[in-house]
Each structure stands twice: as C-alpha cells, then as structure tokens.
Amino acid sequence: MSEARDPAYNFAYLDEQTKRMIRRALLKALAVPGCQIPFAGREMPMPYGWGTGGVQVTASVLKQDDVLKVIDQGADDTTNAVSIRKFFQRTAGVAVTETTAEASVIQTRHRIPETPLAEGQILVYQVPIPEPLRFLEPRETETRKMHALEDYGLMHVKLYEDIARHGHIATTYAYPVRVADRYVMDPSPTPKFDNPKMSDCPAIQLFGAGREKRIYAVPPYTKVESLDFEDHPFTVQAWDESCAFCGAQDSFLDELVTDDQGGRMFVCSDTDYCNRRREQGFRGSATEDAA
Amino acid sequence: MNAVQDDDAPLLAVEGLEKRYGRRVGCTQVDFRLWPGEVLGVVGESGSGKTTVLNCVAGRLAPDAGRVLYTDRTGAARDVHGVSEPERRMLMRTDWAFVHQNARDGLRMAVSAGANVGEPLMAVGARHYADIRAAAGDWLEKTEIELGRIDDPPTTFSGGMQQRLQIARALVAGPRLVFMDEPTGGLDVSVQARLLDLLRGLVTELGLAAVVVTHDLAVARLLSHRLLVMRQGRVVETGLTDQVLDDPQHPYTQLLVSSVLQP
Amino acid sequence: MYVAVKGGERAIDAAHRLLAEDRRGDPAEPELTPAQIREQLKLGVDRVMTEGSLYDRDLAALALKQARGDQIEAIFLIRAYRTTLPRFAVSKPVETSRMALERRISATFKDLPGGQVLGPTFDYTHRLVDHALAAPHAGAEPAEGAPVSEDAPRVLDLLQQEGLIEPAGAAAECPPFDVTRTPPSFPSERDARLQQLARGDEGFLLALGYSTQRGYGRTHPFAGEIRLGSVAVEIEPEELGFAIELGEIEMTECQMVNQFQGSAEQAPCFTRGYGVAFGHGERKAMAMALVDRSLRADEFGEARDAPAQDEEFVLSHCDNVQATGFVEHLKLPHYVDFQSELELLRRLRREHAERAMPEAAE
C-alpha cells in the first residue's frame, strides 16, 4: 500500500541534484559493466556500513509508482531491512511488498532472491568493500591501475594459494567474478551459492558502496563468471538437509541452533521463497509435528 | 609466436639518454644497442650512473632527454617512454623481466614459492592449476631449489635461494629481455659463484638478451659479451668484455681493472 | 517447536522507546536544555561543529542532547542534516590575520607585536578536581583586562617577510576541492587533504601527530602561532562584484613552523603545517597541523616511511562517521556469510581428519 510520505523531505530524501549525480554514475557504470565508478556519496540518516550506498542508489532510481522490497540475509523482517523499508515509506511513500515477483525495485544485503528475477526489475545490492583486490593490495592507487590494465594476476595468486594450502578455493562469499570478460568485480558478500544467478540475469543489477563512494553495475543479460581454475572449477554450496518448513532442496539454507545439545535445524534463508512454497502446499520435516 | 623479424634490427636501441637529479647528473649521452641473445654489462663504481641507466632503459624511470627504442615480437619499434603507461606496463609484464639486487623487491614475501613463480603465468592467462604448479616446479628445479619447498614462503629461504626464486619468477613467462641490477650483490662469494653459473647457463639456454649492472668486474666478465664502463654519469669506454678488461684504453677503466683484488 | 522469528519492526519501535526513556534519565532531575549545553559544554559543542562540518552552535548542542553526550553520534546527526542543505555559495577565504582575538600565543618568540594573550585556557590550571563546582555558583566576576590589540600580525607572516619560511601560497583561482561534492581520490591535492583533516577525528589525528613527535616521521615542529577569535564570513556574489559579510564565526587556527628544507635551486627555509577548528579546538588544530606537514612529504623529498606520512592510510581512516559506521556494522546480521564459512570449515576439518586416519591406522 502506498502511504502519504513525509512532506518535510524531497521524494526519497535526496535532493534532485544529488540524484542526478548518482544517476550519471549509474549510467557510466552500466556502460562499463563491473567497473567501479566513484561518486560523491552523501551522509545518510543511517550509519556508513549499514546500507547508505544501497539507499542512495535506490533513492535515485525510485519512482512514485514503484513497489519496493527490502531484504537482509534473505529475510524481509530482519531489523536492518525493516529500518530501510520504513525509511523509504516515510520519505517516498512508495508501496512495499515482501513478494519478490511483485517488486519493481529490490534492495538487498548479502543475498539474491531465490525467485528468478524478470525484465523490468532492479536489484540494488548493499556493498561494504567494493574492491575485490582490497585485501590483497590495500592501496587504492595500485588497485585502480590493476583494473585499468587488466592486471589480475594477484587475484589468481590468492586462488592458487588457497588450493595449495587447503585443497579448495577458500572464498565462500563475496566470491570474485569477471564481468563481460573484462572487469573483476566483488558481487558483495552474497554467498557464492548466489553467483550463478548474476549471469545472464533479465533484471538490472546495481551496486552501491556508500562509505567507499563507489557504484558499479551489471546490465541485463550480461556474462558474469566466477573466477576459478580449469581443473578446480567453481562450485556452489550444497546441503544434505532440505528446508524444515517447505522442504526445498535448491535454496540457501540458514542453520538454526535449537538447543544446547547440538540440535540444529535448516530453513530457507529467503523467507518469501519459503512462504510461497508453503502456500503451494510444500512441507518440510519440522511442520509435520505442528499441532 | 615470433613474427618475421629483421635479424639486423637491434632488440634495444638507446639514444642520447640523459637523466638529471636537480643539478646532479644521473647519466648523460648514453648510447648503445643490444641484439637478441646478447648480454651487455654496465660497470662502474657506485654513483657512476649505471643503475640510473638501467632504470631508464627498463622503463622504470623517465629520462630527461634521449630515447629508448624496443623492437617487439611483431618487429615494430616502440618508444619505451613515448607509449602510454598501460602499454609500457604491458611490455614490462610480457616481454621483459627485472631482477632486483634485493630479492625481496622482486618477490611476494607473504606468498608461497610456487605462487611467486606461477603468478607471471597467471597474469598472462594461465588457468590450469596443475599445469601452473608443474611449470613452477620445473623452474624451481632449474634454479636448483628443492621441489619440496614449493609451498614455503620466501621468508623461510636463505638469501641465495631467494635470489634464485626471483630469477625463476622473472624467467618463467619467457621474456625476451632481462634487466639485472647487481644480481649477486650481498651474497656470499660461494653462493655468488653458483648463482653466476646458473645465470650464465639460463641465458645461453634460453637465448635471452640481458642488461646487467654490476660493480664487480668478475661478474661482468663471466656474464656479459659486451661492456659499458661508466664514470660520473658518462660512458667512458665500450667494447667486447674480454677486450675491455684485458686491454683497457681509458685511464679510468685501467684504474678499475687494476684495482680488482687478485686472489 | 521452533517458530520463525518475526517482529523485527516491533523490536525496533520498542528499542526507540527505551532509548527515549534512557535519554531522559531520572525524571526527578531537571531536563537538560540545548542552551545549557551550548553555554556550559562549549568545547564539546565546538568539536561537534568542526567534525560535523557545519557551523551552528544551537544545532550542535541539540545534537549532543539527542546523542546523550556521545560526540561521534552527535557529529553523525550534524553530517546527516548537512546532507539536506543546499550549498548556495563558496565564501571568500576568511582573513584570520584580521581576527578579533580572544587568545593568541606563539612558542617561537618570547614577545611579539600584539603580545601573548592567554585568554580562556586549561593550560596553566592544576588538574585538581574542583568539588566546589558540584554546587551551583554565584556568577563569577568578569575578568578585567585590556582589549587585545588589533595590530597583531601573524608570526608566520613576519617570518615570511624575512624570507625565512616558505610562502603561504596564493589563493587559487578556482574554488577549493569539496569532498562532499566530488569523491576524493589519491594522490590528493593539499586543499582536499586539508578539508578531510578538518573534518577528521580529533583522536585519530592526535595520535598520528603524536607519533611524528616520537620519531615516526619527524618534522621538528614549533607552534608558530595559535589564534582563537572571530572572523567575518564573506561572499562575493557575481551580480554585485563586491564582497558582503554574512556574519561571524569563532575559530581556532594553528600554524606550525617545521623543519627547514632547501634544494640546489632554493635556499633553505622553514616549512609550514596548518590546522583549524570551528570554535575553540586547539588540540585538533595542532594535531591537524602536524599531520598536514607530514603529508606534504613529497614536496620536500621526504621518504614516506611513517603512518602519518601515508596519505591513503591517513585520509581513508580519519573520518569517524565512516569509521564508526563500518566498525559498528559488525553488529548487523552476518549469518549468511558466516554460514558459508561454517560449511567450508566443516568440510576442511572432515578432509583433514580423513587424511589423518590412514596414518593412524598404521
């Protein structure tokens, strides 16, 4: 439901000049997929590190008739998702939803929805550290050159070391990808499980890092490949269990601690996906005992 | 891989090279040519300008005057300091190698020996882990480093081993031209001897061209075909190594040669 | 039977109510007013203005009340508020040489035109807790004193007349860099650096400045001059062609005289470090001046060995609003990323155990 927005603020909080500046950055980002574009990020009413980049991107693309969904760790009801959703209800008065298929703009922290996205949808990711090489090379002056020169040897050194040391590539989230055969990009701390969803996706994917002041983007139907070796190909996580609520075997599962004897339960991280499945009659093991 | 190349064309042509540091002359009026398979030694005392020349020629330092022309694999002559920085860095990554006096400057100390040697391959597109590891292993053996050390970081290596690792990393991707800055400096005499033998063998086996800077005439004699003798930024004598060292013409060269301690 | 946790929204509303209650504290105590904070906690208010990058005492005092005394939280409030304000002009550089001085000291000369004016300072107090302050005071007698001489030329200007110190540098033709409008990049120009340092955390800059005094990049500093007082803020609208005064602000300025440098072409002379703060903020202005000079290492051919000389390190981490956001964001749910790590770790441990088993069987 659309609510009356707080008239003390411009639509979606940011002034039009700032939105224009951000949109220009977004257009540049879409024109060069995966390349980090600097933008003059502003202080927002929530702290840096809590989604200011995502919020600024969403604020810049939001229209009055949009339907907004906000998730954190895949759930609509986590405190940060609630806080951001309320922010936009207050400052933009847009309709909100928990149903992925009904949303036109989805802002997310650390997950991509399980429900496949469609053309016309925009997925806005919250990004803490936009630079995939940051922990290998702390200096911005160096990493900028490495991207410009396509000098990604260091990235593969890290993967090589992982295999030499552990026998596996040890990165399980924020797994680096190569976009349109050119730029290496950090997909944000989504689990590597979600990486395949980014490739050839019908929706527009926008990434905002507020504190680091960088924006990047992947236009629809763009190739996104996870870095790997030919003989150690990229694989996604798999569980022995299925979702205790809906029985899903193909979604990312959260592990819940149920008692102090080591009791565990696994449920879908994507709450909307799980709810839709249960509406369709699917059941998992936990619900069989329900009175 | 190698296109048709004019065999008469030098690999490297340096013309009127000059670099100043304020009022001090780093180097001036330096000219030379280098052909494929040739090793050129640049000798002189500290302060003679030999390292300045090396850094300018290797693309690491921009000269104040003069040109450095490099003939690439397609036979085209490239002005090393005239091309854009991306192009220059690409040359430095693919066609050239640089061996530093201090091995730490040419290695990633926090990363394993295997990764150090594998990186240049990965930087030019190698994507098969086992192959990369095997190639790294080959090069460790070629530089007489025990294969079992492939997963150890260079911090656990002796000075001589670190230098050999640096050489492996420099040569693994098959550069055409190697620049070396006092490659045996700071090492024990016996370690030096072993390293020199290794370098000489590799240079011959791979048909490399090289520019080697050293203050040690014995190193120059062992490694280089031709010599450039430098003093206070200028080239005072040049010629075939044996000729220059056995029959020096310039008074300074004579002084240098005569002051070498005889065992 | 486990039930999915719902009610994040209710939890947040409840948290806000608790916060309001806690903020008020014991209702038997009189409620603090922003005016009291503004008048009696002036130094706290001034810091909020400086790092909030907005000169408005009343607003800063209110922010401190709302933030329950937490300075960084108050600074955050001011910054977020600043985002909503349009920038309609760039002022002319304020003329600190014409400052109406409240306080003015120099460590480089025993006496100088305009004199050494101590003004209100903790410097010579003995740090003995004054229990008398616990009870309300009758108004103190206003201090007697001659008004500060208007003619107090800046110490560094005097040195510059003799050619003993590098020139201050002419005002640039174009407006200074504004990090709130253009994202900063490295390497930075001095105007961008100074702006970031001015907005930067006092504690961080204090530690870095301190480190330079202890050998991490030494610059041999002397406090050439510290000034506290009011300056006029002027703009020059194009249509008018002359400057008009918008008002006055109180500010602190510190000019450090640093190690002399020379080159083959240039005779040696002292070098400068510069720091400012809104209101009364000497510690900040001094620390900033030390760090400013350190970051100018390239201009003087100094090797960048020490943390205070590392431009990327200093400027990337000096903004406390950014820093607190990212540090505290660790409180947000990270269970999905953590889940991924758990899964890998379990697998690696299984494999490790499997490898150990055949050996154990021997």
Side-chain angles (χ1 to χ4, degrees), chain C residues 104-259:
Chain C
R104 187 266 201 138
I105 55 171
S106 169
T108 48
F109 293 99
K110 180 166 178 180
D111 203 0
L112 61 168
Q116 306 262 18
V117 183
L118 294 185
T121 175
F122 287 125
D123 286 351
Y124 306 102
T125 62
H126 296 149
R127 270 56 170 199
L128 303 168
V129 175
D130 186 354
H131 294 282
L133 284 174
H137 262 56
E141 285 296 316
E144 289 278 338
V148 178
S149 160
E150 289 263 315
D151 189 17
R154 284 191 301 201
V155 172
L156 271 69
D157 293 346
L158 296 173
L159 289 173
Q160 193 176 320
Q161 272 166 24
E162 270 191 84
L164 293 172
I165 192 165
E166 52 160 340
E173 290 301 314
C174 50
F177 194 94
D178 186 347
V179 302
T180 68
R181 288 294 185 283
T182 317
S185 67
F186 303 108
S188 287
E189 293 294 323
R190 194 167 176 213
D191 56 352
R193 290 203 301 265
L194 286 171
Q195 185 191 18
Q196 290 173 82
L197 293 177
R199 290 156 59 94
D201 184 75
E202 180 177 310
F204 183 64
L205 294 182
L206 179 65
L208 287 172
Y210 178 44
S211 74
T212 66
Q213 293 180 280
R214 293 194 68 256
Y216 289 84
R218 195 173 175 208
T219 57
H220 299 262
F222 290 89
E225 182 160 2
I226 296 173
R227 306 191 142 212
L228 165 68
S230 312
V231 289
V233 176
E234 299 178 321
I235 59 169
E236 187 171 312
E238 255 182 65
E239 319 85 74
L240 286 183
F242 55 84
I244 52 174
E245 185 177 316
L246 293 180
E248 271 187 354
I249 60 170
E250 187 194 41
M251 61 180 282
T252 307
E253 180 191 59
C254 170
Q255 297 196 292
M256 289 283 184
V257 176
N258 295 91
Q259 178 160 13

Side-chain angles (χ1 to χ4, degrees), chain A residues 146-249:
Chain A
M146 289 158 89
H147 283 292
L149 303 176
E150 232 177 310
D151 190 353
Y152 293 126
L154 188 54
M155 192 79 248
H156 285 91
V157 165
K158 195 263 175 195
L159 299 179
Y160 172 101
E161 282 293 78
D162 280 352
I163 296 172
R165 199 173 300 161
H166 305 292
H168 301 273
I169 293 173
T171 307
T172 57
Y173 58 90
Y175 192 104
V177 295
R178 190 147 185 158
V179 181
D181 292 316
R182 177 54 179 88
Y183 282 90
V184 169
M185 179 186 99
D186 184 321
S188 85
T190 47
K192 62 176 185 165
F193 181 86
D194 283 341
N195 277 18
K197 301 185 178 86
M198 300 178 68
S199 192
D200 208 37
C201 176
I204 297 174
Q205 300 173 80
L206 304 176
F207 299 77
R211 190 183 44 83
E212 298 274 340
K213 302 188 176 16
R214 296 282 185 275
I215 271 173
Y216 46 101
V218 177
Y221 303 114
T222 302
K223 180 178 172 193
V224 177
E225 292 172 283
S226 303
L227 301 185
D228 60 8
F229 287 103
E230 289 159 9
D231 50 341
H232 285 263
F234 173 78
T235 54
V236 295
Q237 294 116 323
W239 283 258
D240 295 328
E241 303 82 354
S242 54
C243 172
F245 289 167
C246 76
Q249 294 179 311

Side-chain angles (χ1 to χ4, degrees), chain A residues 13 40 42-44 46-50 73 77 79 86 109-110 140-141 144 168 172 237 255 265, chain C residues 2 6-8 13 76 79-80 83 181 186 312 325 329 333-337 339-341 346-347 351:
Chain A
Y13 191 79
R42 317 300 290 281
E43 269 100 9
M44 301 298 284
M46 64 285 297
Y48 285 115
W50 297 57
Q73 314 292 294
D77 202 48
T79 46
K86 284 178 89 157
R109 177 168 173 268
H110 297 189
E140 164 72 14
T141 43
R144 223 170 44 214
H168 301 273
T172 57
Q237 294 116 323
E255 183 173 328
M265 193 164 83
Chain C
Y2 177 83
K6 280 261 166 208
D13 288 341
F76 183 9
R79 289 272 193 94
T83 298
R181 288 294 185 283
F186 303 108
E312 255 195 75
H329 107 288
H334 283 79
Y335 54 80
V336 167
D337 338 348
Q339 182 65 52
S340 307
E341 293 284 87
R346 283 176 177 147
R347 179 145 45 102
E351 289 169 4

Side-chain angles (χ1 to χ4, degrees), chain B residues 144-146 149 157-166:
Chain B
E144 297 168 21
I145 297 174
E146 196 197 310
R149 309 296 307 267
F157 287 14
S158 68
M161 267 173 87
Q162 286 178 357
Q163 193 56 305
R164 279 180 274 134
L165 183 65
Q166 199 203 166

Side-chain angles (χ1 to χ4, degrees), chain B residues 11 16 18-19 36 68 135 137 164 193 196 221 228 244:
Chain B
L11 196 55
E18 177 170 305
K19 174 74 188 171
V68 178
R164 279 180 274 134
L196 283 172
R221 190 191 282 275
L228 235 57
V244 171

Side-chain angles (χ1 to χ4, degrees), chain A residues 273-289:
Chain A
Y273 183 73
C274 196
N275 290 336
R276 296 298 137 248
R277 279 181 56 86
R278 286 170 17 145
E279 273 170 16
Q280 288 162 37
F282 293 101
R283 289 289 180 269
S285 55
T287 49
E288 276 149 19
D289 329 336

Side-chain angles (χ1 to χ4, degrees), chain C residues 3-25:
Chain C
V3 178
V5 172
K6 280 261 166 208
E9 194 155 342
R10 278 202 319 273
I12 291 184
D13 288 341
H16 289 163
R17 276 196 308 277
L18 262 178
L19 178 63
E21 236 177 74
D22 262 22
R23 174 187 291 132
R24 181 61 184 86

